[in-house]
Amino acid sequence: MSNQPINFRRSATQFALGTITIAALTLTSLYPHAHLATAAFACLAVALLFSLMGSFIASGALSMVCVAALAYFFAPRIFNLSIDDPQAVSVVVAFLTTSIVGTHLIQTLRQQRDAALNIAAKLRQNAADLRDREKWGRAIFEHNPVMYFMVDEAGTVLNVNTFGATQLGYAPHELIDRSVLNIFLKDDREFVRKCVVTCLENIGQSHTWEVQKIRKDGSAMWVRENAKGLRWADDKSVVLIACEDISERKRTELALQRSEAHLAQAQELSHTGSFGWDVATEEPFWSKETFRIFGYDPQTKPSPQLVLDRTHPEDRTCVQDVIDGARQRKENFEHEYRLLMPDGSVKYIRARARATKTASGGTEFVGALTDITSAKQAEQQLRRSEAYLAEAQHLSHTGSWSWDLYEREFVYRSAEVDRLFGFDPKEGASIDAILSRIHPDDVPRLRKVTHQAMKDNGGNYEYDFRIVLPGGTIRRIHTVAHAVVGSDGRVSELIGTHMDVTAQHEARERLENTLVALRESEQRFRDYAETASDWLWETGADHSVTHLSDHTSYGGILARELMGQPRWKIASDVEAEPEKWRQHRAALDAHLPFRDLVYTVDRFGTPIYIRASGKPFFDASGNFLGYRGVSTDITASIRAEQAERELRKAQAELAHVTRVTTLGELTTSIAHEVNQPLAAIISNADACLGWLGREAPDLSEAGRSVEWIIEDAIRASEVIRRVRALAKKSEIEMVPLDINEVLKEAIALVTRELANHQVTLRTELTPAVPPILGDRVQLQQVIINLVMNGIEAMQPVKDRVRELVIQSCMDDMGRVQIAVTDCGIGIADDDIDRVLDPFFTTKSSGLGMGLSICRSILEAHGGRLSIVRKQEPGATFQFALPLHKEVVS
């Protein structure tokens, strides 16, 4: 509001000065009888000049004063509402419009300038404030007694304060531009890397973790890191990490955790939990194992009621009596009871507690709770063990027994012994019946063992015998026996087991038969290896040859010349390819397997190419013994590849010669294509000179002429570029292409040739076909060859229009298809199968390589050139190319 009087005074001053100036100008113009347009122009200049000094309102008022002065002194009929002089009316109206618009534009520019000056001032102030804040920030960052690190997305340290570097024993420059992972344990580096990635994925959010850092002297320190991802200069993401040394607290925590872990582990191992119970406050304490025994969540608040809830219903009254008695008598107690768990299982518990006095004079019970379920169950398991043993013996076909050497009878035998001998355990069997089923040839062996045990006065014995079952089935038994010495010092009995090993014996026989077959297979493999073109080799720990398969030579070198030599001593390309051999020897020293090492061996001045593969072998203790592998003479395949490369090179040369020959045939067409833009350039240049040579040069028209000159120069340059690309011998460049653009560029080079031979060209190009992957120059060569062949084929045609049709579309298999159709003399049925063959031609002066080269180019692009058989005159050559994605995949 305070600026309004100032603005008003400024506007009044502007209006007063402007009015005086306009009055003086009007009088000056009247004296020499100036024309209305001249006076109007002078007034317009004054109005615009004064508009620079003040407001738009004052400038508008001055414009109205000017209009009044002009109308009154120079066109008085306007005041009389007469329109006899329309030119004067037009001048006054034009003056008024121009002055108001100009005044408004000048006012707008002044406002924008003032706004820009204000913004610039604010920006300078903000920059100064930013520098001050940055200065304070750097001071805080550097002198804050907290370790600060700033890292980028790769984990590289961008900045670190002196305090942080000193805490780790480094100078700041020793950490900056180094990976922050270097100051962490190797096992923690992946964890830290993930934490940094998490901060960068959540810009602006704080993340905290605890980890160990490694000082320069190798000692470790625990830190608590608080990190946040930030957007830095150039929108670069960084992570700012503040570290707090918590080593002392961590050591205390670890010691406490270790102590608690030891106690918890001891309780868990002994199935004993501890508890405390303050009778006055009714506040119990349970250890973790106590919660586990009762089956409660450790987060549950313990109470005597929880004990009663879990107690078996039949023992609940007894437990309640013990709790009540402890409250009343405040004496030690011990009792056993059962727990009924939620899953229906039963636990046996022995609780023992001691009453102690608290500092306040009250009573507190401290006790232990032991899970004795295992002990209780041991009795039941002991009762069942005999049944389990009997079942186990039955399943494993093993019977136990005790034999009285003097009474010659069984003191004890399990039921499985009767089953082994083919008797029903429930019915039993006599000693004579059992002995009768022992194979007659094995009876003397059993008697010998008995006599030997009595003679040796103790010892362990193993022997085998056979049982002959009814029906003639043989069962083989393996016996392990121990001689028991009685109190009188004599052997009184044998205790042992009979095990049915019939299946094992049969398996052993099968194994022996398998070993025989394996030896035969090994010999067969050895025979194959000795007759194959490959040879096997073996080297020692020093990589010298120790063994070769039974070949008379190794790549043309006698085997005896190679024994004791390392591979690099017999190779001839060690000096030519030092890096290959360095890597190979490094792999050998690291005891790593290698594959397809190709090297050469000179034999009578001719290089022999060898490919070798091998793997290390070790002894049972893991000691390196050497390498075993196979080598192959690949000289023939290498020379075949060399010949193939030479063939491809010759084909490329021939394709280049064909392109150059085609360009020679297209000289007229190319010259026409270049002369058209050159003629246009000359014409536009003459026009440009004409526009510039006028008394008032027309710069707009001259500029348009120069633009046309540039466009025509680009057209000429593009034609020359395409010609040079076709003539240049370069490597194949497979890039994504729009086949329609390739067609248009090729057609531009043969347009004159079509006109000279009176051939009409019709194109049917499907718009927006998907891109293909190909070499632009080679595909243009194919299209130009097909077009030129069509032109030549239509030369004898006199009775119809010579029309050449070029089409592009998508075929049924989703490929881009191009077809070139002429209406010429066509191809004879006898020649249609041979027209694509090399050196086949129907022309008197042709080489027969054009279509063959086209077919080779298209096959290299994953396509195929074919001829469409049709009834009408002429021929159609078409080819299909896969889409860009199909070629890449």
Side-chain angles (χ1 to χ4, degrees):
M1 299 296 293
S2 61
N3 291 330
Q4 289 183 357
I6 298 175
N7 293 334
F8 178 77
R9 288 195 298 271
R10 183 183 300 170
S11 299
T13 302
Q14 175 188 356
F15 178 74
L17 293 175
T19 303
I20 295 171
T21 303
I22 291 172
L25 180 63
T26 302
L27 294 175
T28 303
S29 300
L30 288 173
Y31 180 75
H33 303 288
H35 191 267
L36 173 61
T38 304
F41 181 79
C43 291
L44 176 63
V46 171
L48 294 179
L49 179 62
F50 274 91
S51 68
L52 296 173
M53 299 172 56
S55 65
F56 174 72
I57 297 176
S59 300
L62 286 177
S63 297
M64 298 304 298
V65 170
C66 291
V67 171
L70 292 174
Y72 181 80
F73 291 105
F74 296 95
R77 293 185 181 181
I78 295 177
F79 280 100
N80 298 328
L81 300 178
S82 174
I83 57 174
D84 295 339
D85 190 0
Q87 183 177 4
V89 175
S90 300
V91 171
V92 172
V93 172
F95 167 79
L96 178 62
T97 303
T98 304
S99 63
I100 293 175
V101 172
T103 301
H104 179 266
L105 290 177
I106 291 174
Q107 183 67 18
T108 302
L109 290 175
R110 290 182 70 252
Q111 292 176 352
Q112 292 178 351
R113 183 198 63 184
D114 294 342
L117 291 176
N118 291 333
I119 293 173
K122 291 180 180 179
L123 288 177
R124 287 193 295 271
Q125 183 62 35
N126 291 339
D129 294 342
L130 181 61
R131 286 194 295 271
D132 291 340
R133 287 196 295 270
E134 182 178 1
K135 179 180 178 181
W136 282 106
R138 289 184 179 274
I140 294 172
F141 180 83
E142 183 64 26
H143 301 295
N144 198 320
V146 176
M147 293 183 285
Y148 283 108
F149 287 83
M150 183 184 292
V151 301
D152 62 9
E153 297 176 349
T156 303
V157 178
L158 301 177
N159 200 357
V160 58
N161 63 344
T162 303
F163 179 81
T166 305
Q167 286 291 94
L168 295 173
Y170 293 94
H173 71 272
E174 294 180 291
L175 295 176
I176 295 176
D177 294 333
R178 305 288 179 84
S179 175
V180 74
L181 300 179
N182 294 337
I183 60 175
F184 292 95
L185 293 172
K186 290 184 178 179
D187 295 340
D188 293 338
R189 291 176 181 176
E190 181 62 22
F191 165 75
V192 174
R193 186 187 66 79
K194 291 181 179 179
C195 290
V196 172
V197 172
T198 301
C199 292
L200 293 173
E201 292 175 348
N202 301 275
I203 297 297
Q205 296 184 11
S206 296
H207 300 271
T208 303
W209 61 85
E210 294 181 0
V211 70
Q212 282 184 293
K213 284 189 175 181
I214 305 302
R215 295 188 179 93
K216 187 175 183 180
D217 59 4
S219 61
M221 64 182 295
W222 277 95
V223 295
R224 182 177 183 270
E225 299 194 330
N226 193 338
K228 179 184 290 186
L230 303 172
R231 293 292 184 189
W232 207 243
D234 299 330
D235 201 27
K236 180 180 180 181
S237 299
V238 299
V239 179
L240 182 63
I241 306 173
C243 308
E244 176 188 357
D245 187 355
I246 59 170
S247 300
E248 189 63 30
R249 176 174 68 82
K250 203 67 178 180
R251 280 193 290 269
T252 303
E253 290 179 357
L254 291 176
L256 180 59
Q257 291 173 2
R258 189 179 299 110
S259 176
E260 292 177 348
H262 290 168
L263 178 59
Q265 190 171 16
Q267 290 189 356
E268 182 179 355
L269 292 174
S270 62
H271 301 287
T272 300
S274 58
F275 65 90
W277 178 32
D278 191 326
V279 178
T281 61
E282 291 287 341
E283 292 183 356
F285 162 78
W286 289 1
S287 68
K288 183 178 179 181
E289 184 63 16
T290 302
F291 280 102
R292 192 196 65 77
I293 291 174
F294 279 100
Y296 287 120
D297 189 339
Q299 303 300 324
T300 306
K301 184 178 181 179
S303 67
Q305 186 59 42
L306 290 180
V307 177
L308 292 173
D309 292 343
R310 193 67 87 203
T311 302
H312 196 284
E314 297 176 3
D315 299 341
R316 193 167 295 162
T317 302
C318 177
V319 173
Q320 183 66 61
D321 292 341
V322 171
I323 294 175
D324 293 341
R327 286 195 182 104
Q328 297 172 5
R329 293 186 295 273
K330 301 178 182 179
E331 296 176 351
N332 301 342
F333 64 85
E334 179 179 356
H335 67 128
E336 293 182 5
Y337 57 98
R338 292 171 294 172
L339 300 180
L340 181 60
M341 307 306 292
D343 60 359
S345 61
V346 175
K347 286 185 179 180
Y348 292 84
I349 303 298
R350 177 183 292 118
R352 181 181 301 172
R354 176 180 298 174
T356 60
K357 294 295 182 180
T358 63
S360 60
T363 302
E364 181 180 15
F365 287 95
V366 178
L369 192 75
T370 305
D371 184 352
I372 60 172
T373 305
S374 298
K376 288 292 184 180
Q377 292 175 346
E379 297 178 8
Q380 300 174 1
Q381 292 177 353
L382 184 60
R383 297 188 186 99
R384 290 195 297 265
S385 61
E386 185 174 348
Y388 289 158
L389 178 61
E391 185 66 20
Q393 288 188 356
H394 178 61
L395 293 174
S396 62
H397 303 292
T398 301
S400 57
W401 49 267
S402 176
W403 178 259
D404 191 322
L405 294 175
Y406 296 98
E407 297 296 331
R408 298 182 60 80
E409 65 179 2
F410 285 110
V411 178
Y412 160 82
R413 74 174 185 262
S414 65
E416 190 62 23
V417 172
D418 288 342
R419 293 192 187 95
L420 290 177
F421 281 88
F423 298 104
D424 188 346
K426 297 180 180 179
E427 298 178 359
S430 64
I431 297 299
D432 293 337
I434 290 176
L435 295 177
S436 66
R437 293 196 172 179
I438 297 176
H439 197 285
D441 295 341
D442 297 337
V443 172
R445 182 182 301 116
L446 271 64
R447 291 175 179 171
K448 181 178 180 181
V449 170
T450 302
H451 294 155
Q452 189 68 33
M454 297 175 67
K455 178 181 177 181
D456 295 342
N457 202 25
N460 298 322
Y461 304 92
E462 290 189 32
Y463 54 91
D464 295 328
F465 65 93
R466 291 167 290 177
I467 295 175
V468 181
L469 299 177
T473 303
I474 301 296
R475 182 173 288 168
R476 296 181 179 273
I477 305 298
H478 178 70
T479 301
V480 178
H482 170 67
V484 179
V485 180
S487 58
D488 57 358
R490 296 188 306 166
V491 176
S492 59
E493 61 183 291
L494 284 176
I495 298 176
T497 59
H498 288 333
M499 179 182 292
D500 185 354
V501 294
T502 305
Q504 291 89 326
H505 182 80
E506 293 174 353
R508 187 183 301 112
E509 290 182 346
R510 289 195 298 271
L511 178 60
E512 292 177 353
N513 294 334
T514 302
L515 291 175
V516 172
L518 181 61
R519 285 192 292 270
E520 293 177 354
S521 177
E522 182 180 358
Q523 183 59 43
R524 187 180 302 111
F525 175 77
R526 188 183 301 276
D527 294 340
Y528 290 158
E530 291 177 355
T531 56
S533 60
D534 299 345
W535 57 88
L536 308 178
W537 51 263
E538 184 175 314
T539 61
D542 60 350
H543 307 302
S544 297
V545 178
T546 58
H547 174 74
L548 285 172
S549 57
D550 297 338
H551 280 69
T552 58
S553 65
Y554 174 92
I557 303 177
L558 296 179
R560 63 175 179 271
E561 300 177 16
L562 304 178
M563 300 301 292
Q565 296 288 333
R567 188 173 291 104
W568 49 87
K569 291 293 185 181
I570 62 177
S572 60
D573 59 353
V574 176
E575 295 182 358
E577 300 183 65
E579 180 61 21
K580 177 183 73 175
W581 286 101
R582 186 193 65 77
Q583 294 179 1
H584 175 63
R585 296 187 67 170
L588 295 181
D589 293 339
H591 303 161
L592 299 176
F594 65 91
R595 290 188 61 82
D596 299 332
L597 172 68
V598 178
Y599 60 96
T600 58
V601 177
D602 280 343
R603 190 61 175 168
F604 304 117
T606 301
I608 304 298
Y609 293 88
I610 306 297
R611 182 175 61 213
S613 299
K615 63 179 297 185
F617 64 97
F618 307 86
D619 61 13
S621 301
N623 298 318
F624 174 69
L625 299 180
Y627 275 81
R628 293 192 183 105
V630 62
S631 294
T632 307
D633 185 346
I634 59 171
T635 304
S637 61
I638 292 293
R639 290 175 179 170
E641 291 177 0
Q642 293 174 346
E644 184 178 356
R645 284 196 297 270
E646 292 296 328
L647 178 59
R648 286 197 296 268
K649 181 178 179 182
Q651 289 177 340
E653 293 287 348
L654 184 57
H656 176 249
V657 170
T658 304
R659 285 201 301 272
V660 174
T661 303
T662 303
L663 288 175
E665 297 174 355
L666 298 178
T667 301
T668 303
S669 178
I670 294 170
H672 176 74
E673 289 295 323
V674 175
N675 284 331
Q676 275 189 334
L678 290 179
I681 289 172
I682 294 171
S683 175
N684 289 325
D686 290 338
C688 180
L689 291 175
W691 293 116
L692 294 176
R694 289 190 173 188
E695 181 178 353
D698 192 336
L699 298 181
S700 176
E701 292 296 336
R704 188 176 295 109
S705 298
V706 172
E707 291 176 356
W708 291 340
I709 291 172
I710 294 174
E711 292 177 359
D712 291 327
I714 293 174
R715 283 177 52 200
S717 175
E718 184 65 19
V719 173
I720 295 173
R721 184 193 64 79
R722 290 198 295 267
V723 172
R724 291 186 62 190
L726 284 172
K728 183 179 179 181
K729 183 170 66 174
S730 59
E731 298 294 332
I732 296 177
E733 182 181 6
M734 304 292 281
V735 295
L737 297 174
D738 183 347
I739 192 63
N740 288 340
E741 294 298 326
V742 176
L743 286 169
K744 293 175 183 178
E745 292 175 357
I747 291 171
L749 294 177
V750 297
T751 302
R752 191 64 179 175
E753 200 69 24
L754 292 169
N756 291 340
H757 291 85
Q758 300 178 356
V759 174
T760 301
L761 176 65
R762 178 164 56 91
T763 58
E764 298 176 0
L765 306 182
T766 300
V769 294
I772 63 169
L773 193 69
D775 183 89
R776 180 183 300 271
V777 172
Q778 288 196 352
L779 293 179
Q780 287 179 355
Q781 179 182 359
V782 171
I783 296 167
I784 291 174
N785 281 350
L786 296 180
V787 171
M788 293 300 295
N789 284 348
I791 293 174
E792 293 181 5
M794 290 186 289
Q795 289 308 297
V797 174
K798 305 295 183 182
D799 58 344
R800 57 183 179 273
V801 176
R802 299 174 182 174
E803 184 182 51
L804 187 71
V805 182
I806 299 180
Q807 299 169 305
S808 70
C809 62
M810 301 294 295
D811 67 2
D812 297 337
M813 299 178 64
R815 300 175 300 179
V816 176
Q817 180 175 290
I818 307 301
V820 179
T821 303
D822 62 65
C823 60
I825 59 176
I827 302 173
D829 293 340
D830 296 339
D831 297 337
I832 198 167
D833 293 331
R834 298 184 298 160
V835 71
L836 299 179
D837 294 341
F839 304 109
F840 178 81
T841 180
T842 58
K843 305 174 186 178
S844 58
S845 60
L847 294 176
M849 290 301 296
L851 291 177
S852 176
I853 291 174
C854 291
R855 182 176 67 176
S856 299
I857 292 174
L858 293 173
E859 289 176 352
H861 283 70
R864 180 174 178 271
L865 178 63
S866 60
I867 304 171
V868 179
R869 299 175 183 266
K870 60 178 186 177
Q871 299 297 327
E872 59 271 14
T876 297
F877 288 85
Q878 71 178 25
F879 59 89
L881 297 173
L883 302 184
H884 174 28
K885 293 183 179 179
E886 296 179 4
V887 175
V888 173
S889 60

